[in-house]
Amino acid sequence: MAPTQSRVAQLFPWLSSPAVRMGLRVGVLLSVILSAWLILANRVHALERFAMERNAVTMGLFLLVAVVPIARFRSSPWYLAISGVIGWAINCFCYFVWTIYFDLLSGRMGAFRVFVMGAAIYGLAAVMMWIGNLIHGVWHQHLTVAPVPRRRIP
């Protein structure tokens, strides 16, 4: 007896893609980090004297989570682009919601600008992975081709 698909997979077949699932996970994690950062920076005044350390730790976490699709889809630039843009779009939606709550946040940088910058970075990473995979494939193929023996001319 073959296993049946779950109800969610039947209703939303695009959720079965690993790129979409990774993008959703990364987007939620980035949104949680962004939200925690904004709340700590604007509402916990006791941490004000540790602002530089707080920002450095947050940026480190942010970059660590943002690199996950790049590390996961090293051999598939298309999946990398899809998961990166989905994750970044979720994060930018959260940023947009926070710009409604914190008025000065949108004056610094709008949500669409943040989205375009992140999508461009993931797109650039996907193109670099694609070119790297092409070079690796050509290099590997070049090394595995046996040399053709030369015929001696009498």
Side-chain angles (χ1 to χ4, degrees):
M1 187 172 210
T4 60
Q5 287 184 334
S6 69
R7 183 95 170 134
V8 175
Q10 289 175 349
L11 292 175
F12 306 105
W14 48 271
L15 280 176
S16 63
S17 169
V20 172
R21 288 193 315 258
M22 178 63 69
L24 292 173
R25 289 180 189 132
V26 166
V28 168
L29 281 173
L30 289 175
S31 298
V32 166
I33 293 170
L34 174 70
S35 299
W37 184 22
L38 285 171
I39 290 169
L40 287 175
N42 293 300
R43 297 294 180 235
V44 181
H45 298 291
L47 295 177
E48 196 63 37
R49 61 181 191 201
F50 302 112
M52 180 135 2
E53 292 83 3
R54 177 197 63 215
N55 293 344
V57 168
T58 305
M59 279 296 118
L61 285 172
F62 207 75
L63 287 174
L64 186 68
V65 172
V67 170
V68 168
I70 296 171
R72 167 72 169 87
F73 299 115
R74 293 185 308 272
S75 61
S76 179
W78 180 244
Y79 279 8
L80 166 61
I82 290 171
S83 67
V85 169
I86 288 173
W88 200 253
I90 292 169
N91 181 48
C92 288
F93 179 74
C94 179
Y95 182 84
F96 174 73
V97 171
W98 280 116
T99 59
I100 295 170
Y101 187 70
F102 295 113
D103 295 330
L104 297 178
L105 190 60
S106 62
R108 172 124 171 101
M109 198 176 305
F112 183 71
R113 185 174 177 187
V114 171
F115 173 73
V116 169
M117 287 178 8
I121 290 171
Y122 277 116
L124 181 64
V127 168
M128 290 174 60
M129 287 289 179
W130 175 60
I131 292 171
N133 289 341
L134 287 175
I135 291 171
H136 183 271
V138 168
W139 180 259
H140 183 68
Q141 184 180 16
H142 177 73
L143 292 178
T144 58
V145 174
V148 178
R150 293 187 176 191
R151 284 185 12 196
R152 294 196 172 197
I153 300 175

